[in-house]
Amino acid sequence: MADPPVTISEREVESLLQYRELTPRLEQALGKFSRGEVVQPVRTTVPLQKQNGFLGLMPTYIEHDGVLCTKLVCFYKREDGSTLPSTQATVVLLDPEYGSVKAVMDGEVITGMRTAAVSAISAKLLMRPEAEVLAILGTGKQALSHYNVFTEMFSFKEVRVWSRTKERAEKFMHSVTGPVTPCVSVEEAVKGADVIVTVTRCTEPVLFGQWVKPGAHVAAVGACRPNWRELDDVLMKEAVVYTDSREGATTESGDVILSGAEVFAELGDVINGTKPAHREKTTVFKSLGMGVEDAVSAELVFDQWKAKNSQP
Ligand SMILES: NC(=O)C1=CN([C@@H]2O[C@H](COP(=O)(O)OP(=O)(O)OC[C@H]3O[C@@H](n4cnc5c(N)ncnc54)[C@H](O)[C@@H]3O)[C@@H](O)[C@H]2O)C=CC1
Ligand SMILES: O=C(O)C1=NCCCC1
């Protein structure tokens, strides 16, 4: 008989997961994914029309590492002013030999941290080495996790933040410890920026190519449905476009599908050395989020949990 599954709360996940351990594991996972070593179908989505959202199912199997996992994630396009979270996620880790559940854990922290860490990996690979200015568009959960990992991994001289209201940008500024410049327009935020992170819930373009400095790197994290956009056609067509999963991007990303832009490479191809990193050009990393990122994060959390809870 298998042991009953352990449950690991949001607070516990938060205390067990650190970027310095998570980020290298994610980098390895992206490489494995692009070498075809991961079984990971494109996310299945179940529309929740009445609630203006969807349920996403994200199963993954890494045979070599014996990791079997699935995330269940609900995403909602909340009305402005709603205090409810946009994303709710649970991660289930299984034993691939028996099919039994080893652990059920909160997926909120994992989703926030792994998404931001993968964007930071994209910046490490694709931004210019002399990058000084970071601009973040959006001030929600992902904005905060991106701020945390980007300021931990890199030394930007200035971090700018834009939200649709000045109050939200200022609230974000007060919620973090380092210096932040709140901006009243997207154009002001991204002018001359070397790295731009888009973490909004918008469904129409918010970032326009005409404002983006040539050679800048954009990590585009929102707009995860085929008819949703964050970036305009000009930017998508002028930039060299990288994705986490080519199959995912050409199935789910409105920025890719509706612009007709070509996907140049997966991040894993760059990590594996099979495709170049065009740091000298304007680059877009279109992130959709992958089950393998959740799987390696959950395995790390579970290993740490066992180490902490093992008998002396
Ligand atoms: N690529 C990936 O792996 C993942 C992507 N996401 C996506 O990241 C985005 C941000 O997620 P969270 O930070 O969790 O959401 P959130 O709800 O906490 O924050 C969203 C931000 O977007 C702003 N916003 C909403 N509508 C807007 C509009 N029409 N124009 C401009 N700004 C707008 C909000 O004011 C807020 O600042 C979402 O689109 C979500 O789907 C989320 C998780 C993983
Ligand atoms: O990868 C994820 O997790 C998500 N991606 C798009 C929005 C919902 C969560």
Side-chain angles (χ1 to χ4, degrees), residues 86-288:
S86 314
T87 309
Q88 288 282 346
T90 304
V91 180
V92 180
L93 201 55
L94 298 104
D95 181 335
E97 292 300 326
Y98 301 100
S100 50
V101 175
K102 295 195 291 186
V104 177
M105 63 186 79
D106 161 74
E108 286 301 283
V109 173
I110 288 177
T111 302
M113 290 182 73
R114 63 68 151 153
T115 308
V118 169
S119 297
I121 293 168
S122 83
K124 189 182 81 168
L125 297 170
L126 298 170
M127 73 182 186
R128 292 191 170 187
E130 66 276 14
E132 290 186 341
V133 178
L134 167 68
I136 300 177
L137 307 184
T139 52
K141 273 195 177 174
Q142 289 289 341
L144 184 59
S145 56
H146 278 73
Y147 174 88
N148 288 339
V149 70
F150 274 70
T151 53
E152 186 175 312
M153 273 179 65
F154 311 111
S155 304
F156 291 104
K157 286 197 177 149
E158 186 183 5
V159 181
R160 302 179 192 154
V161 167
W162 169 82
S163 194
R164 282 169 304 166
T165 66
K166 196 168 166 231
E167 290 71 31
R168 285 202 205 108
E170 284 176 353
K171 192 172 168 208
F172 183 90
M173 176 182 77
H174 293 304
S175 74
V176 298
T177 45
V180 165
T181 313
C183 296
V184 292
S185 73
V186 175
E187 190 174 357
E188 179 193 336
V190 303
K191 197 171 178 189
D194 302 292
V195 178
I196 302 167
V197 172
T198 60
V199 273
T200 72
R201 284 195 319 263
C202 67
T203 52
E204 300 295 332
V206 69
L207 179 61
F208 292 83
Q210 67 191 55
W211 300 331
V212 175
K213 173 169 136 177
H217 174 60
V218 178
V221 174
C224 58
R225 301 304 305 140
N227 55 345
W228 294 359
R229 303 290 301 262
E230 259 188 333
L231 316 182
D232 79 337
D233 285 355
V234 172
L235 178 54
M236 287 303 292
K237 287 197 173 139
E238 280 180 3
V240 184
V241 177
Y242 296 79
T243 62
D244 38 16
S245 154
R246 183 183 288 275
E247 194 188 6
T250 51
T251 309
E252 290 194 300
S253 165
D255 286 328
V256 170
I257 297 164
L258 300 176
S259 68
E262 187 201 333
V263 173
F264 175 71
E266 293 177 348
L267 273 194
D269 297 325
V270 179
I271 291 162
N272 293 333
T274 53
K275 287 281 177 78
H278 282 296
R279 284 180 190 274
E280 75 290 359
K281 297 189 178 160
T282 305
T283 49
V284 165
F285 166 54
K286 179 56 222 157
S287 163
L288 272 312

Side-chain angles (χ1 to χ4, degrees), residues 43 54 58 71 73 75 87 111 114 224 288-290 294:
R43 173 170 40 220
F54 65 81
M58 303 175 70
K71 182 163 85 175
V73 56
F75 177 76
T87 309
T111 302
R114 63 68 151 153
C224 58
L288 272 312
M290 300 204 292
D294 301 308

